[in-house]
Amino acid sequence: MKKKLLVLLFPLLLVACADKQQYEEVVLEEMKKEQDVKDYKIDPAYMAKCVIDTTYQRMPGFFAFDPDRLQAYRNYSKMLKMSLAQDPQKTLEELRKDFGSPQELAKAHSVYTESIMDCYTAILHEKDPEDQAKTPG
């Protein structure tokens, strides 16, 4: 019985991991392009991890492999890659449909933006004690 359950769940876990990994890769690419990340000399991978962890907490779904969370990974990835789309207007319409409404798309964009701002605040506060230790006082 356990083997059958494992066989049935394995494909779902593979897809879930792929969706999550794709989201993480897209966020990392976005952080590499962020001018503030460059200006403040923040490691893009460190910033991406913070943003990913923060958005995970605010996404729909209760756990990593929740179907709502898996859909959120796909939707957020698509939202972040919208600037690369051949037809941005069509992609925007698809995103509105994928998220359920224009309001839900706006909410997701807000969650992502707030996560970035929260991470800047946290990371820069981490750096402050280091800077203060270096300055003679």
Side-chain angles (χ1 to χ4, degrees):
M1 181 65 181
K2 290 181 183 180
K3 287 182 182 180
K4 288 181 182 180
L5 182 61
L6 185 61
V7 169
L8 291 174
L9 290 177
F10 189 70
L12 175 64
L13 292 174
L14 285 178
V15 170
C17 289
D19 289 338
K20 183 179 178 185
Q21 185 176 11
Q22 180 184 14
Y23 174 66
E24 291 171 352
E25 289 171 5
V26 171
V27 172
L28 178 58
E29 288 305 311
E30 288 296 309
M31 292 305 108
K32 288 178 180 177
K33 295 187 275 184
E34 274 286 319
Q35 190 60 45
D36 287 336
V37 169
K38 294 174 187 173
D39 291 346
Y40 288 110
K41 296 177 177 66
I42 300 170
D43 176 27
Y46 187 67
M47 180 68 171
K49 181 175 179 352
C50 179
V51 171
I52 290 162
D53 291 345
T54 307
T55 55
Y56 282 166
Q57 295 171 9
R58 300 172 181 172
M59 281 181 175
F62 297 107
F63 54 94
F65 302 116
D66 183 318
D68 291 337
R69 178 68 54 93
L70 298 177
Q71 187 62 46
Y73 293 148
R74 287 183 218 115
N75 292 346
Y76 274 67
S77 295
K78 188 175 182 179
M79 177 181 72
L80 295 175
K81 294 189 299 185
M82 193 170 110
S83 63
L84 304 174
Q86 296 287 339
D87 185 354
Q89 188 61 36
K90 180 182 176 191
T91 304
L92 180 62
E93 289 302 318
E94 289 172 3
L95 282 168
R96 288 176 177 158
K97 183 180 175 189
D98 292 344
F99 277 98
S101 70
Q103 294 80 11
E104 288 300 312
L105 172 58
K107 181 179 173 185
H109 192 270
S110 178
V111 162
Y112 180 74
T113 303
E114 288 172 12
S115 295
I116 291 173
M117 299 311 294
D118 290 348
C119 288
Y120 277 129
T121 301
I123 291 170
L124 293 176
H125 279 296
E126 286 175 5
K127 285 185 154 195
D128 280 344
E130 294 170 12
D131 293 340
Q132 291 172 358
K134 292 178 186 175
T135 58

